[in-house]
Amino acid sequence: MKSLLSYIFLLVNILLAFHTFFEAQKFFYNISALIGMSFDMVNLTSKIFAIVFGLLTLGLIVFFESRYRKKEKPTEALRYFFVFSGFQLLLLAAFQAPFFFTLGYRMGSVELFKYLFKPILGSTLVFVSLKLHEHPHGQ
């Protein structure tokens, strides 16, 4: 990582990774409530889920750091940021879907906008990242 911009991109991706982790836990509790798990079973499986998904989150952070460290050009850092952030936003939208489709859509247009903004922005970031990969020098 040679530039301050890479550190900023990494920090944003780390914060999104932790936000994804907490949304995944909420997702687990929503699914548990929907299927009617007993309290003891929810307690046990939530701890296992937190450990497994926590390790996956740490692995994701290490992967982000290695990609940003190995970048050769400034446009690569931007491309990595777009693709990593885009996929994280899509994952956040997927984890928030059970809440939104069971209750959130009744909360009005602001809640609808907040939910739909994540997959739209995530898809746009991934698409722009693919375009940057096709034209690395801005041609």
Side-chain angles (χ1 to χ4, degrees), residues 74-80 82 125-138:
T75 56
E76 285 184 12
L78 186 62
R79 186 170 57 89
Y80 289 148
F82 283 169
L125 288 175
V126 171
F127 179 74
V128 169
S129 170
L130 292 174
K131 288 298 179 186
L132 282 175
H133 185 63
E134 290 174 5
H135 306 288
H137 302 294

Side-chain angles (χ1 to χ4, degrees), residues 4 20-21 25 32 36 50 56-57 69-70 72 91 124 136:
L4 178 64
T20 304
F21 173 76
Q25 282 189 311
S32 299
L56 288 173
T57 301
R69 189 171 18 91
K70 292 179 182 178
E72 296 175 8
L91 193 59
T124 303

Side-chain angles (χ1 to χ4, degrees), residues 2-21:
K2 298 172 184 148
S3 70
L4 178 64
L5 196 58
S6 293
Y7 286 111
I8 293 170
F9 288 161
L10 179 62
L11 179 66
V12 169
N13 285 135
I14 288 172
L15 293 174
L16 274 173
F18 280 114
H19 184 61
T20 304
F21 173 76

Side-chain angles (χ1 to χ4, degrees), residues 90-108:
L90 290 171
L91 193 59
L92 276 172
F95 284 141
Q96 292 173 346
F99 170 76
F100 179 75
F101 289 117
T102 57
L103 180 65
Y105 69 93
R106 298 178 191 156
M107 294 182 168

